[in-house]
Amino acid sequence: MNIAGMTDHLPILMVAVPILLSALMMFLRSVPTVQKIINLAVSFGLFVFSVLLIINVWNNGIIVYDIGEWGKYGIVLVADLLSAGMVLLSSGISFLALLYSMDYMEDKSLSSTYHSLFNLLIAGLNGTFLTGDLFNLFVFFEILLLSSCGLVVAYGKGGFTKSDHKMEATFKYLVLNMVSSFIMLIAIASLYATVGTLNMADMAAKINFMNEAGNLPWHVFPAALLFIVVFGNKAAIFPLHYWLPDVHPSAPSPISAMLSGVLIKVGAYGVIRIFFLIFNGTLYIFQPIIIFLALATIIIGSISAVGQDDIKRLLAYSSVSQIGYVFLGIGMGTVTTIAASLVYLANHAVAKSMLFMTSGSIIHEAGTRDMRKMGGMVNNAPFLSGMFLIGAMSIAGIPPMGGFIAKFVLFDSGITGGYYIPIIIALIFAIFTVFYMIKAWQRMFWGEVRNEKYDEYHSHGISWEMSVPIVILSLVVIVFGLYAEPLLSFAQSTASQVLDPQDYINAVLTRDVR
């Protein structure tokens, strides 16, 4: 197959390749070295595919890929700027997390089901972002749930988590998401009963027509509220956030990087896709709800992070707070606020993934997750000190890191849009973020060594498999801050496409079906 022909099949390749690789990994469990080589090579190949996909969408417009021969309203994958951008973000972080895993994870985990589950996680993420069908969105959500549950209970070399704590956190995560899945099925069934289709573009066209005609059934609105619950749970927004601080400390650090860097962003993507496509005409009804939940999430996450002594719990509560800023931009609902929200999402994904990988190395180095037992590591671990400081500055919004640009653009666009009170509240709690991130760095790296057993742990150092992903992500954080124009321009174009869903609808409904 030539390159030009292959680009026509990029959407299905992003989903099918990791699924097939997942099955292959099960047959290669007896040769872990071969597993590592193949998995890393294919994961990097998927990243290359994601780059080609976003270039193709940018140059040629929305791509619609039919799966099977079920006609115009059958199963389709749709790549627009939003979905292609999310696939690129997911593929890049997942490749680096996988590389980090090669040394961080215990050999027993790597040689059993880790590679298979990791590929299922990638397939679930890519499928979620690319599907144009509501029921298949549910299917990919289930793939995400099952694979991530299996990965959370795997053991890394620096986990220091008891088995009962892992199982408790995983059980909480599993049960809450099973309830969420049931709610999602109810919402999907309600919409299907109303419009008779599961194709999101077709559904959007029909709901928009009924809304303009003034005969939109009342039960569509409760169904939309159920989607806020579903995606809010995936994103860990208030009051559905409490699973995240338990799961993060229990999960291996590369999986924590995937959970905070990419997985909770699925919730933000879902809200953008469903509400700005399907419920576009009634969006004004739900915007105040989204803004309120966003502010509550910012407040609860920030206050909770301040009181944490466990570094991974602090980063987890920080993720809760930061996803609130993403939802705040979505809730305000203008082109500039959505663009700012997407910039914030990308910056947080990169910086928080890097911080979780760095914290995994810190825990591995210090032999503890408790920051009260650390201190003075700046002399013995200067690399980790510098990397954590870069990530902390970005999350805190301190220039010249990417997080500063993200916060500045979000606050500026909110003020321009007249959302003064939400921005004032968000700005106040942004100060909390500066406090707890810089305090965390100071407790771990400054002052005197407080861990009597430190010398017992720090002698092993950090391998290149663990350091290279951290360096790459830190460089991206800095580039986002110093040269933000390409990201800002892409986010602006994506936001414009999101707010005018007619192009998406036309691309799906007017395509030629062979």
Side-chain angles (χ1 to χ4, degrees), residues 445-499:
F445 294 102
W446 212 245
E448 299 295 327
V449 176
R450 295 185 292 273
N451 185 1
E452 296 177 357
K453 296 184 178 181
Y454 180 76
D455 290 335
E456 177 184 334
Y457 290 97
H458 86 279
S459 58
H460 49 65
I462 177 172
S463 66
W464 72 268
E465 294 99 330
M466 295 167 67
S467 58
V468 168
I470 294 173
V471 170
I472 292 174
L473 290 170
S474 67
L475 290 175
V476 175
V477 167
I478 295 171
V479 170
F480 278 170
L482 296 178
Y483 187 52
E485 183 57 36
L487 178 61
L488 291 170
S489 176
F490 179 80
Q492 190 76 17
S493 298
T494 303
S496 298
Q497 196 175 75
V498 164
L499 277 176

Short mmCIF file of all heavy atoms in Angstrom, two decimals, residues 445-499:
data_model
loop_
_atom_site.label_atom_id
_atom_site.label_comp_id
_atom_site.label_asym_id
_atom_site.label_seq_id
_atom_site.Cartn_x
_atom_site.Cartn_y
_atom_site.Cartn_z
N PHE A 445 12.70 18.84 47.64
CA PHE A 445 14.05 19.05 47.13
C PHE A 445 14.89 20.02 47.95
O PHE A 445 16.12 20.00 47.85
CB PHE A 445 13.98 19.55 45.68
CG PHE A 445 13.42 18.53 44.74
CD1 PHE A 445 12.11 18.63 44.29
CD2 PHE A 445 14.18 17.46 44.30
CE1 PHE A 445 11.57 17.69 43.42
CE2 PHE A 445 13.66 16.52 43.44
CZ PHE A 445 12.36 16.64 43.00
N TRP A 446 14.25 20.87 48.76
CA TRP A 446 15.02 21.88 49.49
C TRP A 446 15.24 21.44 50.93
O TRP A 446 14.64 20.47 51.40
CB TRP A 446 14.29 23.22 49.45
CG TRP A 446 15.21 24.40 49.45
CD1 TRP A 446 15.33 25.35 50.41
CD2 TRP A 446 16.14 24.75 48.43
NE1 TRP A 446 16.27 26.28 50.07
CE2 TRP A 446 16.79 25.93 48.85
CE3 TRP A 446 16.50 24.19 47.21
CZ2 TRP A 446 17.77 26.57 48.10
CZ3 TRP A 446 17.48 24.81 46.46
CH2 TRP A 446 18.09 25.98 46.89
N GLY A 447 16.08 22.15 51.63
CA GLY A 447 16.29 21.87 53.04
C GLY A 447 17.16 20.66 53.29
O GLY A 447 17.98 20.25 52.47
N GLU A 448 16.95 20.06 54.49
CA GLU A 448 17.74 18.90 54.91
C GLU A 448 17.04 17.60 54.54
O GLU A 448 15.81 17.54 54.43
CB GLU A 448 17.97 18.93 56.43
CG GLU A 448 18.73 20.16 56.91
CD GLU A 448 20.14 20.19 56.39
OE1 GLU A 448 20.73 19.10 56.23
OE2 GLU A 448 20.67 21.30 56.13
N VAL A 449 17.85 16.54 54.34
CA VAL A 449 17.29 15.21 54.09
C VAL A 449 16.57 14.72 55.33
O VAL A 449 17.16 14.67 56.41
CB VAL A 449 18.39 14.22 53.68
CG1 VAL A 449 17.81 12.82 53.51
CG2 VAL A 449 19.08 14.68 52.40
N ARG A 450 15.28 14.38 55.21
CA ARG A 450 14.50 13.94 56.36
C ARG A 450 14.24 12.44 56.36
O ARG A 450 13.63 11.92 57.28
CB ARG A 450 13.17 14.70 56.40
CG ARG A 450 13.33 16.19 56.65
CD ARG A 450 11.99 16.88 56.81
NE ARG A 450 11.22 16.91 55.57
CZ ARG A 450 11.34 17.85 54.64
NH1 ARG A 450 12.21 18.83 54.81
NH2 ARG A 450 10.61 17.82 53.55
N ASN A 451 14.66 11.75 55.30
CA ASN A 451 14.43 10.30 55.19
C ASN A 451 15.70 9.56 55.60
O ASN A 451 16.72 9.61 54.91
CB ASN A 451 14.04 9.95 53.75
CG ASN A 451 13.66 8.48 53.61
OD1 ASN A 451 13.67 7.73 54.57
ND2 ASN A 451 13.32 8.09 52.39
N GLU A 452 15.64 8.87 56.73
CA GLU A 452 16.81 8.16 57.23
C GLU A 452 17.25 7.04 56.29
O GLU A 452 18.41 6.65 56.30
CB GLU A 452 16.51 7.57 58.62
CG GLU A 452 16.24 8.64 59.67
CD GLU A 452 15.88 8.04 61.01
OE1 GLU A 452 15.79 6.79 61.07
OE2 GLU A 452 15.69 8.80 61.98
N LYS A 453 16.34 6.52 55.49
CA LYS A 453 16.66 5.40 54.60
C LYS A 453 16.97 5.88 53.18
O LYS A 453 17.04 5.07 52.26
CB LYS A 453 15.50 4.40 54.56
CG LYS A 453 15.24 3.72 55.90
CD LYS A 453 14.15 2.68 55.75
CE LYS A 453 13.90 1.95 57.06
NZ LYS A 453 12.84 0.92 56.92
N TYR A 454 17.15 7.18 52.99
CA TYR A 454 17.34 7.69 51.62
C TYR A 454 18.53 7.04 50.92
O TYR A 454 18.44 6.66 49.76
CB TYR A 454 17.53 9.21 51.65
CG TYR A 454 17.73 9.79 50.27
CD1 TYR A 454 16.65 9.94 49.41
CD2 TYR A 454 19.00 10.15 49.82
CE1 TYR A 454 16.83 10.46 48.14
CE2 TYR A 454 19.18 10.66 48.55
CZ TYR A 454 18.10 10.81 47.72
OH TYR A 454 18.26 11.30 46.46
N ASP A 455 19.64 6.92 51.63
CA ASP A 455 20.84 6.35 51.01
C ASP A 455 20.62 4.94 50.52
O ASP A 455 21.29 4.45 49.62
CB ASP A 455 22.02 6.37 51.99
CG ASP A 455 22.50 7.78 52.25
OD1 ASP A 455 22.29 8.63 51.37
OD2 ASP A 455 23.07 8.04 53.33
N GLU A 456 19.66 4.26 51.13
CA GLU A 456 19.36 2.88 50.74
C GLU A 456 18.70 2.82 49.36
O GLU A 456 18.79 1.84 48.65
CB GLU A 456 18.44 2.26 51.80
CG GLU A 456 17.96 0.86 51.52
CD GLU A 456 16.98 0.38 52.57
OE1 GLU A 456 17.05 0.87 53.71
OE2 GLU A 456 16.15 -0.48 52.25
N TYR A 457 18.03 3.92 48.96
CA TYR A 457 17.25 3.90 47.73
C TYR A 457 17.91 4.64 46.57
O TYR A 457 17.81 4.24 45.43
CB TYR A 457 15.86 4.53 47.97
CG TYR A 457 14.97 3.69 48.83
CD1 TYR A 457 14.85 3.94 50.19
CD2 TYR A 457 14.24 2.63 48.31
CE1 TYR A 457 14.03 3.17 51.00
CE2 TYR A 457 13.42 1.85 49.10
CZ TYR A 457 13.31 2.13 50.45
OH TYR A 457 12.51 1.36 51.24
N HIS A 458 18.59 5.76 46.86
CA HIS A 458 18.95 6.65 45.76
C HIS A 458 20.11 6.15 44.93
O HIS A 458 20.39 6.73 43.89
CB HIS A 458 19.24 8.05 46.30
CG HIS A 458 20.66 8.24 46.77
ND1 HIS A 458 21.10 7.82 48.00
CD2 HIS A 458 21.73 8.80 46.14
CE1 HIS A 458 22.38 8.12 48.14
NE2 HIS A 458 22.79 8.72 47.03
N SER A 459 20.74 5.07 45.31
CA SER A 459 21.92 4.61 44.60
C SER A 459 21.61 4.07 43.21
O SER A 459 22.49 4.01 42.36
CB SER A 459 22.63 3.52 45.42
OG SER A 459 21.75 2.44 45.65
N HIS A 460 20.36 3.65 42.95
CA HIS A 460 20.06 3.03 41.66
C HIS A 460 19.91 4.04 40.52
O HIS A 460 19.97 3.68 39.37
CB HIS A 460 18.80 2.16 41.74
CG HIS A 460 17.64 2.84 42.39
ND1 HIS A 460 17.02 3.93 41.84
CD2 HIS A 460 16.97 2.58 43.55
CE1 HIS A 460 16.02 4.31 42.62
NE2 HIS A 460 15.98 3.52 43.67
N GLY A 461 19.70 5.32 40.84
CA GLY A 461 19.62 6.33 39.79
C GLY A 461 18.36 6.20 38.94
O GLY A 461 17.40 5.55 39.32
N ILE A 462 18.38 6.83 37.76
CA ILE A 462 17.23 6.82 36.86
C ILE A 462 17.70 6.42 35.47
O ILE A 462 18.69 6.95 34.96
CB ILE A 462 16.53 8.21 36.84
CG1 ILE A 462 15.37 8.22 35.85
CG2 ILE A 462 17.51 9.32 36.55
CD1 ILE A 462 14.53 9.48 35.92
N SER A 463 17.01 5.50 34.85
CA SER A 463 17.43 4.96 33.56
C SER A 463 17.05 5.90 32.42
O SER A 463 16.24 6.82 32.59
CB SER A 463 16.77 3.59 33.33
OG SER A 463 15.36 3.76 33.20
N TRP A 464 17.60 5.62 31.24
CA TRP A 464 17.27 6.46 30.08
C TRP A 464 15.83 6.26 29.66
O TRP A 464 15.20 7.20 29.16
CB TRP A 464 18.23 6.15 28.92
CG TRP A 464 18.00 4.82 28.25
CD1 TRP A 464 18.60 3.63 28.54
CD2 TRP A 464 17.10 4.56 27.16
NE1 TRP A 464 18.12 2.64 27.72
CE2 TRP A 464 17.21 3.18 26.85
CE3 TRP A 464 16.23 5.35 26.41
CZ2 TRP A 464 16.47 2.58 25.84
CZ3 TRP A 464 15.48 4.74 25.41
CH2 TRP A 464 15.61 3.38 25.13
N GLU A 465 15.28 5.04 29.85
CA GLU A 465 13.88 4.81 29.48
C GLU A 465 12.94 5.70 30.29
O GLU A 465 11.88 6.10 29.80
CB GLU A 465 13.48 3.36 29.70
CG GLU A 465 14.18 2.36 28.80
CD GLU A 465 15.34 1.69 29.49
OE1 GLU A 465 15.96 2.33 30.37
OE2 GLU A 465 15.66 0.53 29.16
N MET A 466 13.32 5.99 31.53
CA MET A 466 12.49 6.84 32.38
C MET A 466 12.80 8.33 32.19
O MET A 466 11.91 9.17 32.34
CB MET A 466 12.66 6.45 33.84
CG MET A 466 12.14 5.05 34.17
SD MET A 466 12.65 4.43 35.78
CE MET A 466 11.78 5.53 36.88
N SER A 467 14.04 8.65 31.87
CA SER A 467 14.43 10.07 31.77
C SER A 467 14.06 10.69 30.43
O SER A 467 13.67 11.87 30.38
CB SER A 467 15.93 10.22 32.03
OG SER A 467 16.68 9.47 31.11
N VAL A 468 14.16 9.94 29.33
CA VAL A 468 13.88 10.50 28.00
C VAL A 468 12.44 11.02 27.88
O VAL A 468 12.22 12.15 27.41
CB VAL A 468 14.20 9.46 26.90
CG1 VAL A 468 13.63 9.92 25.55
CG2 VAL A 468 15.70 9.27 26.78
N PRO A 469 11.40 10.25 28.29
CA PRO A 469 10.04 10.79 28.21
C PRO A 469 9.86 12.06 29.04
O PRO A 469 9.16 12.99 28.61
CB PRO A 469 9.17 9.65 28.76
CG PRO A 469 9.97 8.41 28.55
CD PRO A 469 11.39 8.83 28.74
N ILE A 470 10.49 12.11 30.21
CA ILE A 470 10.38 13.29 31.06
C ILE A 470 10.99 14.50 30.37
O ILE A 470 10.42 15.60 30.37
CB ILE A 470 11.06 13.03 32.42
CG1 ILE A 470 10.29 11.95 33.20
CG2 ILE A 470 11.13 14.31 33.25
CD1 ILE A 470 10.98 11.50 34.48
N VAL A 471 12.15 14.32 29.77
CA VAL A 471 12.83 15.43 29.08
C VAL A 471 12.01 15.92 27.89
O VAL A 471 11.83 17.12 27.69
CB VAL A 471 14.24 14.99 28.61
CG1 VAL A 471 14.85 16.04 27.69
CG2 VAL A 471 15.15 14.75 29.80
N ILE A 472 11.49 14.98 27.10
CA ILE A 472 10.70 15.37 25.92
C ILE A 472 9.47 16.17 26.33
O ILE A 472 9.18 17.23 25.76
CB ILE A 472 10.30 14.12 25.11
CG1 ILE A 472 11.53 13.48 24.47
CG2 ILE A 472 9.28 14.49 24.04
CD1 ILE A 472 11.25 12.17 23.77
N LEU A 473 8.75 15.69 27.33
CA LEU A 473 7.55 16.39 27.78
C LEU A 473 7.88 17.75 28.37
O LEU A 473 7.14 18.73 28.17
CB LEU A 473 6.79 15.54 28.81
CG LEU A 473 6.11 14.28 28.24
CD1 LEU A 473 5.60 13.40 29.37
CD2 LEU A 473 4.96 14.65 27.31
N SER A 474 8.99 17.84 29.10
CA SER A 474 9.39 19.14 29.67
C SER A 474 9.73 20.13 28.56
O SER A 474 9.42 21.33 28.66
CB SER A 474 10.56 18.97 30.62
OG SER A 474 11.73 18.56 29.94
N LEU A 475 10.37 19.65 27.50
CA LEU A 475 10.68 20.52 26.37
C LEU A 475 9.41 21.02 25.68
O LEU A 475 9.32 22.18 25.27
CB LEU A 475 11.57 19.79 25.36
CG LEU A 475 13.01 19.51 25.81
CD1 LEU A 475 13.74 18.66 24.76
CD2 LEU A 475 13.77 20.81 26.06
N VAL A 476 8.42 20.15 25.57
CA VAL A 476 7.14 20.55 24.98
C VAL A 476 6.48 21.63 25.84
O VAL A 476 5.92 22.61 25.32
CB VAL A 476 6.20 19.34 24.81
CG1 VAL A 476 4.83 19.79 24.32
CG2 VAL A 476 6.80 18.33 23.84
N VAL A 477 6.54 21.46 27.17
CA VAL A 477 5.98 22.46 28.09
C VAL A 477 6.63 23.82 27.85
O VAL A 477 5.96 24.85 27.80
CB VAL A 477 6.19 22.01 29.55
CG1 VAL A 477 5.91 23.16 30.52
CG2 VAL A 477 5.28 20.83 29.88
N ILE A 478 7.95 23.83 27.70
CA ILE A 478 8.68 25.08 27.49
C ILE A 478 8.35 25.68 26.12
O ILE A 478 8.13 26.90 25.99
CB ILE A 478 10.19 24.84 27.62
CG1 ILE A 478 10.53 24.44 29.06
CG2 ILE A 478 10.97 26.10 27.24
CD1 ILE A 478 11.97 23.98 29.25
N VAL A 479 8.28 24.82 25.08
CA VAL A 479 7.95 25.30 23.73
C VAL A 479 6.55 25.90 23.71
O VAL A 479 6.33 26.96 23.09
CB VAL A 479 8.07 24.16 22.71
CG1 VAL A 479 7.49 24.57 21.36
CG2 VAL A 479 9.53 23.75 22.53
N PHE A 480 5.59 25.26 24.40
CA PHE A 480 4.24 25.82 24.48
C PHE A 480 4.24 27.21 25.09
O PHE A 480 3.38 28.04 24.78
CB PHE A 480 3.34 24.90 25.31
CG PHE A 480 2.79 23.73 24.54
CD1 PHE A 480 2.12 22.70 25.21
CD2 PHE A 480 2.92 23.63 23.17
CE1 PHE A 480 1.61 21.61 24.52
CE2 PHE A 480 2.41 22.54 22.46
CZ PHE A 480 1.75 21.53 23.15
N GLY A 481 5.20 27.48 25.98
CA GLY A 481 5.27 28.78 26.61
C GLY A 481 6.00 29.82 25.77
O GLY A 481 5.56 30.96 25.67
N LEU A 482 7.10 29.42 25.16
CA LEU A 482 7.93 30.36 24.42
C LEU A 482 7.44 30.58 22.98
O LEU A 482 7.67 31.64 22.41
CB LEU A 482 9.38 29.87 24.40
CG LEU A 482 10.09 29.80 25.76
CD1 LEU A 482 11.50 29.26 25.59
CD2 LEU A 482 10.12 31.17 26.44
N TYR A 483 6.81 29.56 22.42
CA TYR A 483 6.34 29.66 21.04
C TYR A 483 4.94 29.06 20.95
O TYR A 483 4.73 27.97 20.44
CB TYR A 483 7.31 28.94 20.10
CG TYR A 483 7.01 29.14 18.63
CD1 TYR A 483 6.84 30.41 18.08
CD2 TYR A 483 6.88 28.03 17.79
CE1 TYR A 483 6.56 30.59 16.74
CE2 TYR A 483 6.60 28.19 16.44
CZ TYR A 483 6.44 29.47 15.92
OH TYR A 483 6.16 29.63 14.59
N ALA A 484 3.98 29.80 21.48
CA ALA A 484 2.61 29.30 21.62
C ALA A 484 1.75 29.54 20.40
O ALA A 484 0.63 29.02 20.32
CB ALA A 484 1.95 29.94 22.85
N GLU A 485 2.22 30.32 19.45
CA GLU A 485 1.39 30.74 18.33
C GLU A 485 0.78 29.56 17.55
O GLU A 485 -0.41 29.59 17.23
CB GLU A 485 2.18 31.65 17.39
CG GLU A 485 1.37 32.21 16.23
CD GLU A 485 0.14 32.98 16.67
OE1 GLU A 485 0.21 33.65 17.71
OE2 GLU A 485 -0.89 32.89 15.98
N PRO A 486 1.56 28.52 17.18
CA PRO A 486 0.93 27.41 16.44
C PRO A 486 -0.20 26.74 17.21
O PRO A 486 -1.24 26.44 16.62
CB PRO A 486 2.12 26.45 16.21
CG PRO A 486 3.33 27.31 16.27
CD PRO A 486 3.02 28.36 17.29
N LEU A 487 0.00 26.51 18.50
CA LEU A 487 -1.05 25.89 19.31
C LEU A 487 -2.26 26.80 19.41
O LEU A 487 -3.41 26.34 19.30
CB LEU A 487 -0.51 25.54 20.70
CG LEU A 487 -1.51 24.92 21.68
CD1 LEU A 487 -2.05 23.60 21.13
CD2 LEU A 487 -0.87 24.71 23.05
N LEU A 488 -2.04 28.08 19.63
CA LEU A 488 -3.16 29.03 19.72
C LEU A 488 -3.93 29.10 18.41
O LEU A 488 -5.17 29.14 18.41
CB LEU A 488 -2.63 30.42 20.10
CG LEU A 488 -2.06 30.58 21.50
CD1 LEU A 488 -1.37 31.94 21.64
CD2 LEU A 488 -3.16 30.44 22.54
N SER A 489 -3.22 29.11 17.29
CA SER A 489 -3.86 29.17 15.99
C SER A 489 -4.69 27.91 15.72
O SER A 489 -5.84 28.00 15.25
CB SER A 489 -2.80 29.34 14.89
OG SER A 489 -3.39 29.33 13.62
N PHE A 490 -4.11 26.76 16.05
CA PHE A 490 -4.85 25.51 15.86
C PHE A 490 -6.08 25.46 16.75
O PHE A 490 -7.16 25.04 16.32
CB PHE A 490 -3.94 24.32 16.16
CG PHE A 490 -4.61 22.98 16.01
CD1 PHE A 490 -4.78 22.41 14.76
CD2 PHE A 490 -5.10 22.32 17.12
CE1 PHE A 490 -5.42 21.18 14.63
CE2 PHE A 490 -5.74 21.10 17.00
CZ PHE A 490 -5.90 20.52 15.75
N ALA A 491 -5.94 25.88 18.01
CA ALA A 491 -7.07 25.88 18.93
C ALA A 491 -8.18 26.81 18.46
O ALA A 491 -9.37 26.49 18.58
CB ALA A 491 -6.60 26.28 20.33
N GLN A 492 -7.80 27.95 17.90
CA GLN A 492 -8.79 28.90 17.39
C GLN A 492 -9.57 28.29 16.22
O GLN A 492 -10.81 28.41 16.15
CB GLN A 492 -8.10 30.19 16.95
CG GLN A 492 -9.03 31.33 16.61
CD GLN A 492 -9.60 32.00 17.85
OE1 GLN A 492 -9.08 31.83 18.94
NE2 GLN A 492 -10.67 32.77 17.67
N SER A 493 -8.87 27.63 15.31
CA SER A 493 -9.53 26.99 14.17
C SER A 493 -10.43 25.85 14.63
O SER A 493 -11.54 25.66 14.12
CB SER A 493 -8.47 26.45 13.19
OG SER A 493 -7.68 27.50 12.67
N THR A 494 -9.96 25.09 15.62
CA THR A 494 -10.76 23.98 16.15
C THR A 494 -12.02 24.50 16.82
O THR A 494 -13.11 23.96 16.63
CB THR A 494 -9.92 23.17 17.16
OG1 THR A 494 -8.73 22.70 16.53
CG2 THR A 494 -10.72 21.98 17.68
N ALA A 495 -11.88 25.57 17.62
CA ALA A 495 -13.04 26.14 18.30
C ALA A 495 -14.07 26.67 17.31
O ALA A 495 -15.28 26.52 17.51
CB ALA A 495 -12.58 27.25 19.24
N SER A 496 -13.60 27.28 16.24
CA SER A 496 -14.53 27.77 15.20
C SER A 496 -15.29 26.62 14.57
O SER A 496 -16.50 26.73 14.30
CB SER A 496 -13.74 28.54 14.13
OG SER A 496 -13.10 29.67 14.68
N GLN A 497 -14.60 25.51 14.34
CA GLN A 497 -15.26 24.33 13.77
C GLN A 497 -16.25 23.71 14.74
O GLN A 497 -17.32 23.25 14.35
CB GLN A 497 -14.19 23.30 13.37
CG GLN A 497 -14.69 22.21 12.44
CD GLN A 497 -13.56 21.31 11.99
OE1 GLN A 497 -13.09 20.47 12.75
NE2 GLN A 497 -13.13 21.47 10.75
N VAL A 498 -15.91 23.74 16.03
CA VAL A 498 -16.80 23.20 17.06
C VAL A 498 -18.09 24.02 17.15
O VAL A 498 -19.20 23.46 17.24
CB VAL A 498 -16.08 23.17 18.43
CG1 VAL A 498 -17.09 22.98 19.57
CG2 VAL A 498 -15.04 22.06 18.47
N LEU A 499 -17.97 25.33 17.11
CA LEU A 499 -19.14 26.20 17.27
C LEU A 499 -20.00 26.27 16.02
O LEU A 499 -21.13 26.76 16.07
CB LEU A 499 -18.69 27.60 17.68
CG LEU A 499 -18.41 27.79 19.16
CD1 LEU A 499 -17.88 29.18 19.44
CD2 LEU A 499 -19.66 27.54 20.00
#
